[in-house]
Amino acid sequence: MIKKQVKRNIVLGILFLLPVTFLLLLLPAKHNYNPLEVVNENVSELVGFTSDSNEKIILKDHITVLAFLGKNPMENAIAASNLKELVYDKFKGFKKFQIVVVVSNGTQDEVEQLKKEIQSYEDLKFWHFVYSDENTINTLYSNLKSDSQLNQNLSTNSVFIIDKDLNQRGRTDDRSDNELAKNKPAYSLNSYDCIEVAIIKNKMSEDMRVLFTEYREKRKGNFDSSSRRANDLKGNNEQ
């Protein structure tokens, strides 16, 4: 009886471990050959902005999630909460990771209110709010590749991934397997909608993980940085 039980446990263990091991072997290979693509180069540095931190907030040499909450940050509390729970909490332990939220001058009180809304029991050490005027905010946003414009409150649900070299990252071909099978035209993913939980959980989180893997492989000397540039990159400021 004991022999049969041991045998059964061994078989069950093997059946459980085999697919897990297979997936773990596949993932590094997939990420090694499919880095997160550069969809736009030479993103502007944060010139003309002040921050809520004693340190100077910059994009260079950081992996940044860039968001725009504009004139009424509290109106975008849902987007901020999704970003906090699904992105910040997951990646805050990674070196040089930060979330930078662009808001308008004079919104300090609302920002403090928003911090209380999303902070819970954890600090926001790697989450920064930066302030500036309308022209400066619009100039920064116009330097990004986006399918939409800022609204009248200088905010958007879209967030952007900026790498350490001031390149905007995303996907030049975001077609699903079904769309590929039907030979649908390719379309890009340049930003991520914070209101859509599925996009943040399934696409943005995966893309962030791929980017961190890229930098880890670069540190080991196993990554060819020339492979990450999108073949159809058309210009720095193309919208």
Side-chain angles (χ1 to χ4, degrees), residues 73-140:
M74 279 303 297
E75 289 185 1
N76 300 284
I78 294 175
S81 294
N82 289 344
L83 199 58
K84 163 69 167 57
E85 294 173 11
L86 303 176
V87 179
Y88 181 82
D89 288 349
K90 188 172 184 178
F91 296 105
K92 64 182 180 180
F94 286 82
K95 190 174 182 180
K96 293 296 184 179
F97 167 72
Q98 64 180 358
I99 288 182
V100 174
V101 180
V102 177
V103 290
S104 299
N105 287 333
T107 60
Q108 282 82 352
D109 289 344
E110 270 200 52
V111 164
E112 289 304 314
Q113 187 179 351
L114 182 59
K115 284 181 183 179
K116 292 176 183 177
E117 182 87 9
I118 66 174
Q119 190 166 0
S120 63
Y121 297 102
E122 301 181 28
D123 67 74
L124 298 176
K125 182 178 179 181
F126 307 106
W127 180 303
H128 309 292
F129 289 91
V130 294
Y131 303 83
S132 197
D133 57 62
E134 183 168 346
N135 288 337
T136 305
I137 292 173
N138 278 321
T139 298
L140 176 63

Side-chain angles (χ1 to χ4, degrees), residues 4 23 30-31 38 47 50 57 75 112 130 133 161 176 184 203 205 207 225 228 232 238:
K4 287 184 179 179
L23 285 174
K30 179 182 177 182
H31 292 165
V38 172
V47 177
T50 58
I57 306 304
E75 289 185 1
E112 289 304 314
V130 294
D133 57 62
I161 297 175
S176 65
K184 297 284 187 180
K203 292 187 177 183
S205 290
D207 288 355
S225 61
R228 73 184 180 182
D232 59 349
E238 183 181 6

Side-chain angles (χ1 to χ4, degrees), residues 13-70:
I14 292 171
L15 290 174
F16 173 76
L17 289 173
L18 274 178
V20 173
T21 304
F22 180 70
L23 285 174
L24 289 174
L25 289 172
L26 280 181
L27 284 174
K30 179 182 177 182
H31 292 165
N32 202 32
Y33 293 104
N34 295 284
L36 189 59
E37 295 166 308
V38 172
V39 296
N40 184 29
E41 293 179 323
N42 300 322
V43 173
S44 295
E45 189 50 272
L46 297 174
V47 177
F49 288 86
T50 58
S51 77
D52 60 348
S53 171
N54 293 326
E55 59 181 307
K56 184 177 181 181
I57 306 304
I58 60 173
L59 303 180
K60 179 70 174 173
D61 297 325
H62 291 79
I63 295 176
T64 305
V65 174
L66 186 62
F68 293 78
L69 300 190

